[in-house]
Amino acid sequence: MSRFIHPKFNALSPYTPGEQPRGRSYVKLNTNECPYPPAPGVIQAACEEAGRLNLYSDPTCKQAVDALAAAYGVQPDEVFVGNGSDEVLTLIFAALCPNGVAYADVTYSFYPVLADLCALPVAVVPLRESFALVPEDYVQLGRTIVIANPNAPTGMVLPVSDIEKILRWNPENLVVVDEAYVDFGAESAVSLIKRYDNLMVVGTFSKSRAMAGARFGYAVANRALIADLGRIKYSFNPYNVNRMTLAAAAAALADTEYFDTCRGKIINTRARSLQTLRDMGFDATESMANFVFISHPTMPAETIFYRLREAGILVRWWNKPRISNHLRVTIGTDEEMDALFAALQKILANE
Ligand SMILES: *Cc1c(COP(=O)(O)O)cnc(C)c1O
């Protein structure tokens, strides 16, 4: 740290992204990217827009906002778009958590980092023993509630009826539902925004739309909440989404067939992977995301993590309470998963 940093950041512990290796080619199952390329129309749209990079992007992001509004059956003024959903979450933490924030003990590890950055009081609500989130635990918290649904890194889903309970029980607090993984088999809460003015749904094109490198995320909520995000954005980074990404996002929404094919493949590979891993003796949560969350009854997750790494396969392991004996494994192609199973067979055979 330099001597010029503001002292309020002295104790900040930043988010640690999964490794993005260069050089040695790994089977990369550690950051929940889509193993398939973006749709052909997405590549074409981004390339065409590249010739206009001399001009600022549209600060209203109209092309992408309109396409998202049409796709979700809402009005354009009920949609906000950002530079990845991490940016959208940052604006929410900065502006829409006046009394602090509440989230689960086991959830997306970016939430504590943002709470720290924004110096927010935090209520950590432990998941139950089985990693289940119970709506009854979300009452009288008096702060903005943030729920990843499906949750990360467990992949477990809260039914929309449970989200609705939490909305009803907390009318004076904003409830943010982070749906980064919703397209892999769960139900979206977007339809509830008409009835609940305390709901904000956040999404991303990083996982199910194969656009992690484009950085595109969004929020859907009633127009007053969306206007609030706009006020903050125009005070921070008015041209927050670049031209190529805006064009690419609209093109991604236009190709519903490619989208359905890709997520269908991942859902099928997930089912086969869960079966294979359970046959090998692993415990696995009921994941509805593009990853599985597993632990082995005899071999520690840390050991498996490092041995997989030596074998050229990257997965995610956290040295954190409750989950230090678990691994999160992104669903790759069938060939990538076969490579994982073969490596795991070897590792477990040498136990
Ligand atoms: C990946 C992820 C995000 C971040 O997505 P970006 O749009 O790439 O910033 C947000 N929330 C959860 C739960 C995620 O897993």
Side-chain angles (χ1 to χ4, degrees):
M1 250 182 314
S2 79
R3 66 186 193 279
F4 303 110
I5 193 169
H6 193 292
K8 73 182 175 185
F9 294 127
N10 281 349
L12 192 66
S13 61
Y15 179 74
T16 318
E19 296 173 79
Q20 298 289 354
R22 273 163 236 278
R24 174 171 182 183
S25 69
Y26 284 93
V27 174
K28 211 174 158 306
L29 304 175
N30 65 334
T31 51
N32 297 344
E33 290 143 320
C34 178
Y36 306 109
V42 168
I43 299 168
Q44 199 192 332
C47 290
E48 277 171 18
E49 206 54 41
R52 288 184 281 276
L53 283 176
N54 55 312
L55 304 173
Y56 277 110
S57 59
D58 170 14
T60 70
C61 304
K62 184 171 168 32
Q63 184 185 15
V65 165
D66 287 354
L68 267 172
Y72 287 104
V74 299
Q75 297 304 311
D77 60 3
E78 295 169 323
V79 177
F80 177 86
V81 303
N83 196 303
S85 59
D86 285 344
E87 184 187 65
V88 179
L89 290 166
T90 305
L91 297 175
I92 292 170
F93 275 63
L96 296 171
C97 301
N99 303 310
V101 62
Y103 46 74
D105 61 339
V106 177
T107 190
Y108 186 35
S109 47
F110 195 49
Y111 304 150
V113 175
L114 279 177
D116 200 13
L117 177 74
C118 301
L120 298 176
V122 176
V124 173
V125 186
L127 299 176
R128 298 299 172 93
E129 184 65 32
S130 61
F131 297 127
L133 188 152
V134 177
E136 282 73 12
D137 294 343
Y138 288 77
V139 288
Q140 295 181 339
L141 294 165
R143 12 187 125 209
T144 297
I145 294 168
V146 181
I147 296 174
N149 192 39
N151 197 12
T154 65
M156 289 162 62
V157 172
L158 196 62
V160 168
S161 54
D162 281 353
I163 300 277
E164 189 165 6
K165 281 186 194 166
I166 294 171
L167 289 164
R168 254 193 287 121
W169 295 340
N170 296 276
E172 297 310 317
N173 295 106
L174 179 66
V175 178
V176 178
V177 182
D178 180 349
E179 295 189 345
Y181 301 103
V182 78
D183 296 326
F184 300 105
E187 190 191 343
S188 173
V190 161
S191 62
L192 297 179
I193 68 152
K194 308 264 184 235
R195 276 187 289 138
Y196 295 92
D197 70 353
N198 59 331
L199 170 62
M200 178 169 277
V201 176
V202 176
T204 177
F205 279 26
S206 293
K207 280 81 187 220
S208 61
R209 305 264 180 190
M211 283 176 50
R215 312 305 303 129
F216 187 78
Y218 59 90
V220 185
N222 75 73
R223 54 180 63 84
L225 280 168
I226 294 302
D228 289 342
L229 289 180
R231 273 166 61 88
I232 311 305
K233 156 186 149 151
Y234 281 99
S235 313
F236 165 69
N237 187 10
Y239 307 103
N240 61 332
V241 186
N242 75 78
R243 286 183 161 271
M244 291 165 76
T245 295
L246 289 175
L253 287 164
D255 197 342
T256 53
E257 195 181 319
Y258 188 87
F259 172 58
D260 288 336
T261 305
C262 271
R263 61 184 176 145
K265 280 200 276 194
I266 288 164
I267 290 167
N268 286 337
T269 305
R270 179 181 69 204
R272 187 175 76 89
S273 301
L274 278 172
Q275 187 60 55
T276 307
L277 291 163
R278 284 175 176 147
D279 290 347
M280 290 170 72
F282 283 92
D283 291 319
T285 55
E286 231 20 86
S287 174
M288 281 292 195
N290 66 338
F291 56 81
V292 291
F293 192 55
I294 57 173
S295 64
H296 195 271
T298 54
M299 189 173 275
E302 183 179 10
T303 309
I304 302 175
F305 170 76
Y306 285 109
R307 301 224 173 127
L308 281 175
R309 208 164 182 289
E310 286 160 21
I313 298 175
L314 297 180
V315 300
R316 200 83 200 263
W317 171 71
W318 291 272
N319 190 8
K320 280 192 189 167
R322 290 193 77 180
I323 60 169
S324 61
N325 200 32
H326 283 74
L327 297 170
R328 189 196 68 189
V329 182
T330 303
I331 300 297
T333 62
D334 279 313
E335 295 70 29
E336 288 173 320
M337 299 316 281
D338 287 337
L340 169 81
F341 305 146
L344 285 173
Q345 296 283 15
K346 266 197 205 159
I347 291 166
L348 292 172
N350 294 333
E351 197 169 354

